[in-house]
């Protein structure tokens, strides 16, 4: 139960446990203990990001912020661009929800680089989407439109980007 392999399995088990917050967080704590004991920064980062994502859902904002910030610190020493993209994505949304547009902007912009390094279109489209969210929040409608078009050129059927475009047009009165 406390083996290195158990730590890997527990880390992967966190996301599917999302509906059961307490069990998911227990799995996260056990996986973090193992990752730190084994000095496996990659496993620690992946576990932190998964646990932070689960914390985001039931609105445990501070816990989500803390764990994602820890993951971003680890990103300086490990090559985990997908995990970093996910952490930045969640940090942007939590910061935005808490009304901290400056932090939301910082994480949205930093996600561009991480998502590009990941090579995954999904994370690249998500980076564009959250930067569009920030631009819209600032009332930069033209910049938001340009970001959406850029995102749709990367991922033409991305539902988040299509939804953002519909919301943007609604907000500016172009029904």
């Amino acid at each position: 139960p406390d083996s290195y392999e158990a730590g890997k399995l527990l880390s992967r088990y966190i996301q599917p446990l999302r509906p059961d917050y307490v069990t998911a967080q227990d799995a996260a704590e056990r996986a973090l203990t193992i990752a730190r004991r084994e000095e496996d920064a990659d496993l620690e980062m992946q576990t932190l990001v998964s646990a932070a994502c689960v914390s985001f859902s039931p609105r445990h904002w501070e816990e989500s912020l803390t764990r994602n910030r820890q993951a971003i610190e680890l990103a300086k020493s490990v090559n985990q661009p997908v995990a970093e993209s996910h952490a930045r994505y969640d940090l942007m949304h939590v910061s935005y929800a808490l009304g901290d547009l400056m932090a939301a902007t910082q994480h949205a912009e930093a996600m561009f680089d991480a998502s590009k390094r990941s090579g995954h279109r999904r994370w690249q489209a998500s980076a564009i989407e959250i930067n569009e969210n920030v631009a819209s929040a600032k009332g930069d409608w033209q910049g938001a439109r340009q970001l959406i078009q850029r995102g749709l050129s990367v991922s033409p059927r991305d539902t988040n980007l299509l939804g953002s475009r519909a919301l943007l047009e609604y907000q500016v009165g172009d029904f």
Side-chain angles (χ1 to χ4, degrees):
D2 293 323
S3 68
Y4 180 62
E5 290 76 15
K8 288 182 171 183
L9 289 170
L10 286 165
S11 183
R12 293 181 58 99
Y13 195 44
I14 296 166
Q15 290 285 351
L17 287 172
R18 193 177 202 146
D20 184 351
Y21 177 78
V22 173
T23 304
Q25 292 307 321
D26 178 59
E29 289 306 318
R30 290 173 54 206
L32 284 170
T33 297
I34 293 167
R36 290 171 179 154
R37 182 191 72 215
E38 298 293 325
E39 298 179 359
D40 186 334
D42 289 306
L43 179 58
E44 182 178 358
M45 183 174 178
Q46 291 168 356
T47 302
L48 284 166
V49 172
S50 291
C53 185
V54 170
S55 296
F56 177 79
S57 295
R59 309 286 192 256
H60 295 276
W61 304 122
E62 291 304 319
E63 188 174 286
S64 183
L65 286 172
T66 299
R67 287 191 166 164
N68 275 315
R69 286 176 181 149
Q70 290 171 343
I72 294 301
E73 278 302 307
L74 285 171
K76 296 174 184 175
S77 62
V78 299
N79 184 27
Q80 291 284 338
V82 170
E84 182 182 351
S85 294
H86 191 165
R88 297 273 185 199
Y89 186 82
D90 285 355
L91 279 166
M92 177 278 177
H93 281 99
V94 173
S95 299
Y96 186 90
L98 292 172
D100 187 350
L101 195 54
M102 185 182 306
T105 302
Q106 172 193 354
H107 293 297
E109 290 174 354
M111 190 178 165
F112 275 132
D113 178 58
S115 68
K116 186 175 181 182
R117 285 185 286 115
S118 80
H120 289 263
R121 283 186 166 181
R122 175 191 183 270
W123 287 110
Q124 291 171 11
S126 293
I128 293 167
E129 177 231 334
I130 65 171
N131 276 278
E132 181 281 326
N133 294 166
V134 169
S136 287
K138 293 177 178 179
D140 178 7
W141 309 119
Q142 187 59 33
R145 277 191 186 97
Q146 290 171 351
L147 283 163
I148 291 169
Q149 285 309 115
R150 179 175 158 198
L152 291 173
S153 71
V154 170
S155 184
R157 296 182 182 181
D158 186 280
T159 55
N160 288 334
L161 289 167
L162 292 168
S164 292
R165 181 61 187 260
L167 181 59
L168 181 146
E169 298 305 339
Y170 179 80
Q171 289 172 323
V172 299
D174 188 359
F175 306 111

